[in-house]
Amino acid sequence: MDVNEPTGGLEQSPEFVQDLEGRYRLDAIFEFATWAATAIAIGVLAWLLISVLIDGLGTLDWQFITSFPSRKAERAGILPALQGTILLMVVVATFSFPLGVGAAIYLEEFATDNWFTRVVEILIGNLAGVPSIIYGLLGLTVFLRLFSDITQGPTILSGGLTLTLLILPVVIVATRESLRAVPDSTRLAGFALGANRWQVVWSHVLPAAMPGVMTGMILALSRAIGDTATLLVTGAAAFIPFSPDGFLSRYTALPIQIYNWASRPQAEFHNLAASGIIVLMAVLLIMNTTAVVLRNKFQQRS
Amino acid sequence: MISNSVSEDIATDIALKAENVSVFYGSTLAVKDVFLDIPRNQIVAFIGPSGCGKSTILRCFNRMNDLIPGARVEGRITFHGRDIHDKSIDPVELRRRVGQVFQRPNPFPKSIYENIAFGARINGYQGSMDELVENSLRGAALWDEVKDKLKESGLSLSGGQQQRLCIARAIAIQPEVILMDEPCSALDPISTLKVEELMQQLKESYTIVIVTHNMQQASRVSDMTAFFNAEATESGGKIGYLVEYDKTVNIFQNPAQKSTQEYVTGRFG
Ligand SMILES: Nc1ncnc2c1ncn2[C@@H]1O[C@H](COP(=O)(O)OP(=O)(O)O)[C@@H](O)[C@H]1O
Ligand SMILES: [Mg+2]
């Protein structure tokens, strides 16, 4: 197309060279590029999912979920690992929610902006990227040795507390982001009515930030639930032929059990590992759904 | 605490008094040497070009500047004769007595009812909450429009209704003074008119200080008008100051200062 022609059917000043066709082409190219990126991401995920389902569905039945591990593949089950993971998540959620949200509230709402809080902010950001094995070693020192009187050694409590350390930075960062997204006008409105900072935060800022906090919390829990290295270092056992009887019980967890089966030479155990992955994903899905339901509840209330 | 001095106030009939007030943001002087008396049950308008410190001075009266890191207020501000920076005066109590309505309507993202109940509850209101909510909404000329949807979010209202909800929220805690910082600048002309009418009613019970960019609004609603301006400094900044403060008729028809005359007649940059 001749660019000096009036484009788009309208009279055009000669100072504007309207290459409409070129702009639309660029638009189409860009749309295709983003579409391709999405397709590749989904494709890889689907492939992963399908191969896990093909390998694992055959051995996934009620008996698998309700049985203890065994040296014989056809009798082995995942019950203690599933129970261990659920109890671990209870510990992690119980500690990381108040600690993480509390720290974020302090840093974002109470602390004045000075070099100290800025250093803390950078440190927390970096901590979120530290490999989980390092947290495992920290947990080994702190919870298994230093506080062994309380945690009773390699128990669900010490594993859960170590996982709490692991995800605390993520919870703090996510909570701070959602607190920051609450407009200042909301805070000012509260202060102008004679509220003090705590009343403003508790009644208005935190409820407004809650959907974001829940999202961050669930992302963090998803990281914790799949983490293997931390638990290996803090002494989750590979073979637990009994149900944990509390938070001070020895335990195993889903990723540990999956890792254990996957590293055996026999192919039957590989199928069990795939079944275990399906169970793990189901737990994740239930957790995410709960979070979405909770989040919608918060959004409706506000 | 503050109420001890009510008798003193009746004698003077001055609600708020600024004496030689200067405000700094960090090391920058923003407004200097302001002397100003706000009489009871009157509407005082602050006018002047942008950035001359109208909002800054307004925020001094309920100590909202305390919340801005680095902001510093010098000089003396008295509320019923009591220095509001005195240690015996708690900013939380002061803000119950001197309420504020902001430029953009900022209802809480909660129900209409809860928007009004919150301030009352935190300030220890003991009476019937339903009554208070109704009376406050009536006082803000909003009751008839919202009485059937008190449980709905304050954000579901139109901009003008939201601003009246903010006014209702402010009067619910029974303040004596209401500070309004350009309360109509985000509203359409009809909503603006409603808020202006409302201000005339509120004047019976409250003292009102309003910042406005709208010259007609100042002349329509206010009894007293303060004209602020800013002077350039050598370093390229500007410092706000109070040019003239008088009865609104005088400011608009017979100002003492030439710059006031130029500003109110629109012959000003
Ligand atoms: N929070 C703040 N921090 C730093 N400077 C400010 C702040 N608020 C206002 N200022 C400065 O103070 C001066 C007066 O501002 P303001 O009171 O908002 O003026 P007005 O309301 O008359 O437009 C301006 O130069 C502005 O840049
Ligand atoms: Mg202003």
Side-chain angles (χ1 to χ4, degrees):
Chain A
M1 181 195 230
D2 183 1
V3 289
N4 291 323
E5 287 278 300
T7 45
L10 298 168
E11 284 299 319
Q12 195 74 49
S13 141
E15 284 167 46
F16 290 89
V17 183
Q18 277 282 43
D19 182 13
L20 274 184
E21 205 168 301
R23 283 163 59 186
Y24 278 122
R25 199 179 315 120
L26 207 64
D27 197 47
I29 290 173
F30 201 74
E31 183 180 345
F32 177 76
T34 51
W35 178 86
T38 315
I40 291 172
I42 291 182
V44 170
L45 273 178
W47 183 24
L48 209 78
L49 204 68
I50 288 168
S51 71
V52 165
L53 288 178
I54 289 174
D55 290 347
L57 273 182
T59 44
L60 179 66
D61 52 18
W62 190 243
Q63 184 247 326
F64 175 75
I65 291 172
T66 54
S67 299
F68 295 103
S70 161
R71 258 171 280 278
K72 294 204 182 70
E74 65 277 8
R75 283 177 47 198
I78 203 150
L79 183 65
L82 180 58
Q83 291 166 325
T85 285
I86 290 171
L87 290 178
L88 276 175
M89 286 306 110
V90 170
V91 174
V92 175
T94 310
F95 285 96
S96 63
F97 186 77
L99 285 178
V101 174
I105 289 177
Y106 175 74
L107 290 170
E108 202 55 43
E109 303 289 333
F110 286 91
T112 46
D113 189 24
N114 56 25
W115 67 267
F116 175 74
T117 47
R118 256 170 269 156
V119 168
V120 169
E121 183 167 352
I122 293 169
L123 285 180
I124 291 175
N126 282 331
L127 279 177
V130 168
S132 57
I133 189 124
I134 311 262
Y135 284 98
L137 293 172
L138 178 66
L140 183 65
T141 317
V142 176
F143 299 123
L144 267 73
R145 308 243 164 92
L146 222 58
F147 293 114
S148 59
D149 289 347
I150 301 169
T151 59
Q152 308 281 312
T155 56
I156 290 179
L157 182 62
S158 44
L161 287 175
T162 312
L163 286 176
T164 301
L165 293 183
L166 172 75
I167 67 163
L168 213 44
V170 182
V171 178
I172 295 175
V173 169
T175 307
R176 289 189 73 174
E177 291 297 331
S178 17
L179 290 174
R180 221 170 290 171
V182 177
D184 247 349
S185 60
T186 301
R187 294 180 183 82
L188 291 179
F191 287 126
L193 288 170
N196 59 29
R197 203 167 274 279
W198 171 245
Q199 288 167 324
V200 168
V201 169
W202 181 251
S203 304
H204 302 298
V205 179
L206 200 54
M210 217 49 193
V213 174
M214 296 304 297
T215 309
M217 194 65 209
I218 218 64
L219 283 177
L221 284 181
S222 308
R223 177 167 185 203
I225 203 174
D227 194 80
T228 322
T230 320
L231 297 181
L232 280 178
V233 177
T234 51
F239 187 78
I240 293 280
F242 56 82
S243 287
D245 58 357
F247 293 109
L248 294 178
S249 171
R250 301 284 323 254
Y251 69 104
T252 187
L254 288 173
I256 303 284
Q257 185 66 69
I258 292 165
Y259 172 73
N260 177 265
W261 280 332
S263 53
R264 294 207 185 180
Q266 304 93 322
E268 307 86 74
F269 281 106
H270 296 172
N271 288 343
L272 290 184
S275 307
I277 292 172
I278 297 174
V279 173
L280 181 63
M281 288 194 302
V283 175
L284 255 175
L285 200 67
I286 292 170
M287 257 164 52
N288 278 318
T289 315
T290 319
V292 170
V293 170
L294 279 177
R295 194 171 59 194
N296 289 347
K297 231 182 163 139
F298 273 113
Q299 262 161 350
Q300 268 164 21
R301 231 185 43 181
S302 58
Chain B
M1 290 189 299
I2 302 179
S3 53
N4 295 344
S5 56
V6 165
S7 52
E8 182 185 344
D9 152 70
I10 289 165
T12 59
D13 245 18
I14 297 297
L16 283 158
K17 193 180 184 77
E19 289 167 276
N20 205 11
V21 170
S22 301
V23 185
F24 297 80
Y25 291 108
S27 56
T28 322
L29 178 57
V31 204
K32 64 169 188 186
D33 306 337
V34 173
F35 288 84
L36 201 64
D37 286 354
I38 311 281
R40 270 163 73 94
N41 293 62
Q42 302 252 301
I43 300 182
V44 175
F46 287 5
I47 60 170
S50 282
C52 61
K54 306 179 296 292
S55 303
T56 299
I57 290 295
L58 195 74
R59 283 196 298 264
C60 289
F61 290 131
N62 60 349
R63 288 183 59 180
M64 287 295 271
N65 282 326
D66 290 14
L67 302 169
I68 299 173
R72 194 173 88 248
V73 179
E74 281 182 2
R76 204 171 118 92
I77 297 166
T78 50
F79 178 47
H80 297 317
R82 295 276 308 264
D83 188 341
I84 64 168
H85 291 103
D86 192 272
K87 280 190 196 61
S88 68
I89 296 213
D90 190 328
V92 163
E93 171 63 9
L94 176 70
R95 289 180 197 136
R96 191 188 73 67
R97 311 275 299 265
V98 182
Q100 184 172 356
V101 174
F102 296 82
Q103 184 165 358
R104 302 204 141 268
N106 57 351
F108 298 121
K110 300 215 157 149
S111 70
I112 294 170
Y113 187 98
E114 196 50 37
N115 259 281
I116 293 178
F118 172 73
R121 201 177 302 125
I122 57 163
N123 284 295
Y125 174 71
Q126 299 293 322
S128 152
M129 196 58 87
D130 290 351
E131 247 168 60
L132 181 76
V133 169
E134 176 170 348
N135 290 340
S136 308
L137 286 169
R138 282 189 192 284
L142 190 59
W143 174 250
D144 290 330
E145 290 158 67
V146 302
K147 61 174 181 246
D148 298 322
K149 48 178 182 179
L150 295 177
K151 290 273 169 285
E152 280 175 35
S153 168
L155 296 175
S156 68
L157 300 173
S158 74
Q161 291 174 323
Q162 287 188 14
Q163 196 62 301
R164 277 179 285 145
L165 178 61
C166 292
I167 293 173
R169 177 175 73 185
I171 61 181
I173 53 175
Q174 294 159 17
E176 288 160 48
V177 182
I178 306 175
L179 309 173
M180 299 186 173
D181 195 346
E182 302 191 36
C184 302
S185 67
L187 306 186
D188 62 87
I190 293 174
S191 307
T192 300
L193 210 64
K194 281 200 174 147
V195 171
E196 285 181 12
E197 282 168 12
L198 175 59
M199 283 165 60
Q200 292 303 337
Q201 293 167 28
L202 293 175
K203 193 180 132 176
E204 310 284 323
S205 335
Y206 308 94
T207 305
I208 297 176
V209 187
I210 175 176
V211 175
T212 176
H213 260 119
N214 182 331
M215 229 49 65
Q216 284 86 36
Q217 185 169 59
S219 62
R220 270 195 306 262
V221 302
S222 72
D223 303 296
M224 305 279 293
T225 297
F227 171 57
F228 288 81
N229 203 347
E231 63 187 22
T233 59
E234 282 150 24
S235 54
K238 43 182 197 170
I239 301 174
Y241 64 102
L242 175 61
V243 177
E244 192 173 349
Y245 179 45
D246 204 341
K247 290 209 173 68
T248 299
V249 271
N250 292 344
I251 292 287
F252 280 89
Q253 278 159 26
N254 189 20
Q257 301 290 325
K258 193 154 168 286
S259 60
T260 314
Q261 167 96 45
E262 284 172 353
Y263 188 77
V264 297
T265 53
R267 272 180 283 126
F268 190 94

